[in-house]
Amino acid sequence: MEESDRMECIPIGVVRSPYRVRGDAPRQGRLAGTEAEIRIFDDYAPGLQDVEYASHLIVLYWLDRADRGLLFATPPGETRERGVFSTRSPARPNPIGFGVVDLVRRDGNVLTVRGLDALDGTPVLDIKPYSPEIDSIPSATGGWRIKPEKG
């Protein structure tokens, strides 16, 4: 990759959660009812205007403690490795976390959310309102179209 092809992401805030190390966090944040805070930095706080009207948010965050050198992962409950892009493993070349969370409340530049699996101190890259009309695919069954062979 050439230097001119590089991208830069700037954190807009930080997560404050009870999860200190990877083993503390649930496998999927939506499966836990734990609350966490997203503290938006002062420079970006004006961008929160009207966010409190959203019931759910999409949070993009940088998994800063993930291994970036892995291209294979073994999903929970499976014995066969798969390509990392066919898994939800946090270890990947660009460890971007994606979570759909319940917005519990907004207090100034602090969002209290439920369902986030990020570790304490995780940098937040972006926040978007969740839209069921846009972000949900009612006809999708989820999972695999054809179940992968076990190896």
Side-chain angles (χ1 to χ4, degrees):
M1 176 182 268
E2 303 216 6
E3 191 65 34
S4 63
D5 294 333
R6 295 201 176 264
M7 296 179 292
E8 178 182 10
C9 288
I10 301 167
I12 62 164
V14 65
V15 172
R16 291 293 169 222
S17 82
Y19 310 130
R20 303 290 183 241
V21 295
R22 187 173 172 189
D24 292 346
R27 191 171 62 80
Q28 293 295 324
R30 295 278 320 146
L31 304 178
T34 306
E35 289 187 2
E37 290 182 349
I38 299 173
R39 297 183 183 202
I40 301 301
F41 300 141
D42 290 341
D43 288 350
Y44 302 102
L48 290 174
Q49 181 178 329
D50 297 331
V51 75
E52 62 272 13
Y53 297 113
S55 63
H56 296 81
L57 300 172
I58 296 170
V59 181
L60 299 171
Y61 46 102
W62 189 258
L63 302 166
D64 58 320
R65 286 155 267 187
D67 186 338
R68 297 185 71 179
L70 300 180
L71 292 178
F72 295 92
T74 304
E78 295 187 23
T79 57
R80 184 178 70 83
E81 273 192 331
R82 296 196 315 212
V84 71
F85 303 125
S86 71
T87 74
R88 297 181 67 97
S89 171
R92 50 200 326 113
N94 289 309
I96 297 172
F98 172 97
V100 177
V101 299
D102 305 327
L103 177 58
V104 177
R105 70 182 162 279
R106 173 188 173 197
D107 298 308
N109 66 336
V110 177
L111 304 175
T112 300
V113 299
R114 185 179 305 112
L116 188 64
D117 59 3
L119 301 179
D120 188 61
T122 296
V124 176
L125 300 175
D126 202 1
I127 297 170
K128 300 172 185 283
Y130 173 81
S131 170
E133 296 82 18
I134 298 168
D135 300 317
S136 176
I137 304 170
S139 62
T141 59
W144 294 94
R145 293 181 196 157
I146 299 173
K147 190 172 182 177
E149 294 181 25
K150 299 208 176 207

